[in-house]
Amino acid sequence: MSIQLALQQVRQNILLAQEKSPYAMRGEVKLLAVSKTQPVERIAEACHAGQKIFAENRVQELVEKQQVFPNVSWHLIGHLQTNKVRHIVNKIELLHSLESIGLADELQKRLSVFETVLPVLIQVNIAEEQSKYGLAPNEVSDFLDALADFPALQVQGLMTIGPLTAQGEEIRPIFRELRRLLQQEKKRYLPHTALHHLSMGMSGDYMIAVEEGATMVRVGSSIFGARSVMYDS
Ligand SMILES: *Cc1c(COP(=O)(O)O)cnc(C)c1O
């Protein structure tokens, strides 16, 4: 299947999921094309098909591709090590994986030099899996309070990666919990935030995520085809 056709199908599926569910977001759900491991030719093809937002999970790869395609948006969806922060400042539109004060601290330092603000999402490990990055759900409130001390970071919402072992409907409670958490935090007075985004759903489950209120979905293989190498996220 061509990338153009695949993108059309994914966009169509997002609309269908929006129509189906009362919890779905009423405005536009942002589709992020996850281009990790994909060569520039395939990214170019997606651009020609009208795709405007791309996501990578490794800093080095993102920076290289951002240089080739400076006029589309780049989001970082993978773990960010503090020693790599300087590479991404001014390169990305949204960081999906903020999950420690150490990282917030380093971002604040680097961003304040440029007097810029970086929109970020807090990564939450809803299922509290050992192997995953992200805050436990019960840590999110305190973390949001602590972020008041980092004015260069604008918190726009929450992100989660569902358990890879979850099949079909098993994932729905995870997405529902992330939505509940966002709603709970939205009710508090947090003037340093603009909480409205829920980044959840990948190729196998983005329709369920949209039904549960995702405002952004991160879709790789359903757009570009299966990745040829095993790739950890
Ligand atoms: C790779 C990746 C995706 C996309 O995965 P697909 O199953 O190919 O759609 C989404 N989110 C994160 C964090 C990833 O690392």
Side-chain angles (χ1 to χ4, degrees), residues 48-61:
H48 287 307
Q51 181 61 29
K52 299 273 189 318
I53 315 175
F54 292 84
E56 290 283 335
N57 69 344
R58 292 185 179 179
V59 170
Q60 168 98 21
E61 203 173 335

Side-chain angles (χ1 to χ4, degrees), residues 32 34 36 55-57 77-78 96 123 159-161 164 199 201-204 206 217-223 225-227 231-233:
L32 278 50
V34 178
K36 63 191 182 195
E56 290 283 335
N57 69 344
I77 57 177
H96 290 235
Q123 183 169 350
M159 174 270 213
T160 200
I161 304 173
L164 290 177
S199 167
M202 319 192 345
S203 290
Y206 68 90
V217 292
R218 312 177 306 264
V219 181
S221 42
S222 288
I223 294 171
R227 284 179 292 278
Y231 206 83
D232 58 307
S233 52

Side-chain angles (χ1 to χ4, degrees), residues 65-194:
K65 288 171 176 173
Q66 197 268 346
Q67 278 163 0
V68 183
F69 302 96
N71 297 324
V72 296
S73 294
W74 290 95
H75 290 199
L76 186 64
I77 57 177
H79 180 62
L80 176 58
Q81 288 171 280
T82 49
N83 63 1
K84 301 230 168 115
V85 163
R86 64 202 149 92
H87 301 296
I88 56 108
V89 167
N90 291 333
K91 298 268 165 40
I92 62 170
E93 190 140 308
L94 182 64
L95 173 68
H96 290 235
S97 52
L98 183 64
E99 48 116 41
S100 75
I101 291 297
L103 180 57
D105 209 31
E106 184 65 20
L107 284 162
Q108 175 66 37
K109 268 188 220 144
R110 298 281 173 184
L111 289 160
S112 57
V113 173
F114 296 94
E115 295 180 30
T116 50
V117 169
L118 179 69
V120 298
L121 305 179
I122 294 169
Q123 183 169 350
V124 188
N125 184 357
I126 295 280
E128 303 195 40
E129 293 167 278
Q130 290 292 332
S131 60
K132 285 235 173 74
Y133 289 106
L135 298 178
N138 64 7
E139 296 172 328
V140 171
S141 281
D142 287 348
F143 190 70
L144 276 169
D145 289 337
L147 289 178
D149 293 335
F150 302 90
L153 301 178
Q154 191 199 41
V155 193
Q156 295 195 340
L158 306 177
M159 174 270 213
T160 200
I161 304 173
L164 290 177
T165 49
Q167 299 288 317
E169 284 295 320
E170 283 169 25
I171 198 103
R172 190 181 292 277
I174 303 273
F175 295 152
R176 199 168 275 171
E177 180 59 14
L178 196 72
R179 182 183 74 220
R180 190 199 62 74
L181 205 53
L182 186 81
Q183 280 165 351
Q184 170 193 302
E185 295 305 315
K186 259 179 164 172
K187 288 189 194 129
R188 301 168 57 216
Y189 179 64
L190 296 164
H192 59 293
T193 68

Side-chain angles (χ1 to χ4, degrees), residues 10-31 172 206-217:
V10 173
R11 289 188 191 124
Q12 186 64 35
N13 286 337
I14 290 172
L15 291 175
L16 289 173
Q18 278 183 284
E19 278 168 23
K20 195 173 152 189
S21 164
Y23 304 112
M25 148 97 182
R26 287 301 143 219
E28 189 205 1
V29 172
K30 286 183 201 261
L31 171 59
R172 190 181 292 277
Y206 68 90
M207 285 176 276
I208 296 174
V210 169
E211 286 171 23
E212 294 301 330
T215 65
M216 317 183 161
V217 292

